Amino acid sequence: MKGPVLFWVQHLLGSGHLRRVARIATALAESGTASVIASGGMPVATLDTGRARLVQLPAIRAGDEGFSTLVDDAGRRVDEACFDERRRRLEDLVRQLDARLVVTETWPFGRRKFTPEVLALIAAARRNRPGTVVVSSVRDILQRPSRPERHDAMRDLALQHCNHVMVHGVESFVPFEETFLHAGALKHLLHYTGYVADMPKAVSDRGPGRDEVVVSAGGGAVGRGLFEAAMAAPPYSKRACRSRWRLLVGDSGIAPCEGQRMVIESNRSDFPELLRRCAVSVSQGGYNTVVELLGARARAVVAPWSGAGETEQQERAKHLQRRRLAVVLDEAAPTPRGVARAVDEAFDLEPGDMADISLDGARESARLLDEWLRHG
């Protein structure tokens, strides 16, 4: 077996970053390259890593929606001792693996508070093997920084430490330069992979989700407002007042229950299958959810999360709306009437323009990583 490749990933609020890395690492391992994921976020019980190995670091998560504080799995503010222990484990892992290629998920285009940890990882890898290739793995759209000069720091770190940058998107759909000011300076490093999707091989038209309105919000941590609006929306809908509404509430704190016209339950591993069978999907605009919507060709309502100054989901929703791939619910706080009105409008969506949108990003990323293992 070739490799190994070591992936570093840190999810702070939802689990989307970890799931995207898991899909890439799984595809890479299936191609015959040993893959190890060093995850620094909270464990995700439903995560599928296939043949890739998962190593859990001492977990760190966001203490609030604004990412202003970092806390451990017990809710205590993270101190330097925690970071020291994580760095020690990463350095030990590098030596044990003799990794030839290191992938840093999001960094240096985010995860600024983890820069000392990532730099220590890169330094350890290159001390152990001077020719170690470093690849940044980043989603299509960046959060707009509060200070533009932070883009200068991202550019400088990428030029100094990265051999390649994989952008998990499609240039003709969302050019990286739209949300990263210095994309031109990194043009020689950039490689668009297409979107990283986890597509079901075959889906029966029978089963949960059929002809339902399916409401989701990723891990659910910031989706409570959307769920509460959706729970009260059916009476206001002209097209879905008699449909069954299924809410996948995750970690939102809303209690599961089931009635004749509404099911409230935890997240499901068969979510992509539900999307293929549903009448309309209502969701936020995170990367993984949108990719699954595109793969399912579902009629979609997207209510982008914009709390704590977040801009990434609004940017993605704008591009979906431009191609008539979704109805965008542009409300700071979703209301029952607003959700119902958007669902009714979504019933009339025709298949949008997806001719140039590749969803094969996991396999293309694996191909690129294999190539860089051979040639640097």
Side-chain angles (χ1 to χ4, degrees):
M1 190 172 247
K2 298 171 290 183
V5 171
L6 175 60
F7 293 82
W8 176 92
V9 56
Q10 176 65 54
H11 59 288
L12 291 173
L13 200 57
S15 60
H17 294 274
L18 178 58
R19 293 186 186 279
R20 183 166 58 250
V21 162
R23 290 168 182 168
I24 296 169
T26 295
L28 188 61
E30 288 174 352
S31 75
T33 299
S35 304
V36 179
I37 303 169
S39 174
M42 297 295 291
V44 177
T46 59
L47 184 71
D48 181 8
T49 60
R51 296 179 183 177
R53 174 186 165 200
L54 178 67
V55 175
Q56 179 64 53
L57 300 173
I60 293 176
R61 61 179 175 84
D64 53 52
E65 293 181 5
F67 304 94
S68 60
T69 60
L70 299 176
V71 299
D72 63 16
D73 54 2
R76 299 179 297 251
R77 186 183 290 267
V78 172
D79 58 16
E80 197 56 40
C82 178
F83 279 111
D84 287 343
E85 175 62 15
R86 285 166 54 108
R87 283 194 290 267
R88 183 188 67 77
R89 293 196 190 184
L90 284 168
E91 290 170 359
D92 288 347
L93 186 59
V94 163
R95 285 192 292 269
Q96 292 166 14
L97 295 176
D98 192 26
R100 298 173 53 200
L101 192 152
V102 172
V103 178
T104 62
E105 200 283 327
T106 296
W107 189 91
F109 303 100
R111 301 298 183 259
R112 183 170 51 91
K113 294 180 180 179
F114 293 85
T115 291
E117 175 173 298
V118 178
L119 291 180
L121 168 62
I122 293 172
R126 285 178 168 161
R127 279 196 307 271
N128 187 68
R129 183 182 282 271
T132 298
V133 176
V134 175
V135 178
S136 174
S137 168
V138 63
R139 68 191 179 199
D140 56 342
I141 294 170
L142 301 186
Q143 165 69 13
R144 293 193 183 277
S146 56
R147 299 202 301 267
E149 60 267 25
R150 287 184 177 166
H151 277 201
D152 299 347
M154 294 173 190
R155 174 201 58 202
D156 295 344
L157 287 168
L159 289 172
Q160 185 174 355
H161 298 286
C162 299
N163 299 90
H164 307 280
V165 176
M166 295 191 300
V167 180
H168 300 304
V170 174
E171 186 174 15
S172 58
F173 183 46
V174 186
F176 195 50
E177 60 262 27
E178 281 200 8
T179 55
F180 182 57
L181 299 176
H182 302 307
L186 303 183
K187 189 173 183 179
H188 62 295
L189 302 182
L190 297 182
H191 305 264
Y192 288 88
T193 68
Y195 286 93
V196 178
D198 184 14
M199 300 307 303
K201 299 298 185 292
V203 178
S204 168
D205 62 357
R206 298 183 180 276
R210 183 180 181 184
D211 297 328
E212 297 177 348
V213 177
V214 175
V215 185
S216 63
V222 294
R224 190 180 183 98
L226 177 60
F227 292 131
E228 289 176 343
M231 288 165 65
Y236 299 106
S237 171
K238 297 177 181 178
R239 308 285 293 274
C241 57
R242 296 184 180 179
S243 299
R244 196 176 210 199
W245 290 53
R246 184 180 298 269
L247 278 59
L248 307 180
V249 296
D251 296 327
S252 64
I254 296 174
C257 66
E258 182 169 352
Q260 184 179 4
R261 295 294 182 191
M262 184 161 292
V263 178
I264 300 175
E265 59 182 340
S266 185
N267 288 353
R268 301 172 58 119
S269 60
D270 61 348
F271 179 58
E273 288 91 334
L274 296 185
L275 292 181
R276 289 208 172 185
R277 289 190 287 258
C278 74
V280 173
S281 164
V282 180
S283 70
Q284 294 180 322
Y287 180 99
N288 283 17
T289 299
V290 166
V291 168
E292 287 164 336
L293 287 171
L294 293 175
R297 302 305 298 265
R299 297 187 186 97
V301 173
V302 173
W305 179 54
S306 57
E310 288 292 303
T311 60
E312 173 240 336
Q313 294 196 14
Q314 292 174 309
E315 292 282 346
R316 189 172 293 109
K318 176 183 70 177
H319 288 278
L320 292 171
Q321 187 173 44
R322 176 170 56 85
R323 292 209 184 188
R324 291 284 296 163
L325 293 169
V327 174
V328 175
L329 181 59
D330 192 14
E331 297 179 355
T335 63
R337 290 181 185 274
V339 170
R341 186 167 53 249
V343 166
D344 288 347
E345 185 179 343
F347 270 94
D348 294 324
L349 278 178
E350 297 294 334
D353 179 11
M354 281 188 53
D356 59 332
I357 300 179
S358 168
L359 302 176
D360 202 22
R363 189 159 52 185
E364 174 62 10
S365 298
R367 186 194 68 77
L368 288 169
L369 293 172
D370 266 333
E371 179 182 326
W372 296 329
L373 266 176
R374 293 193 302 270
H375 305 298

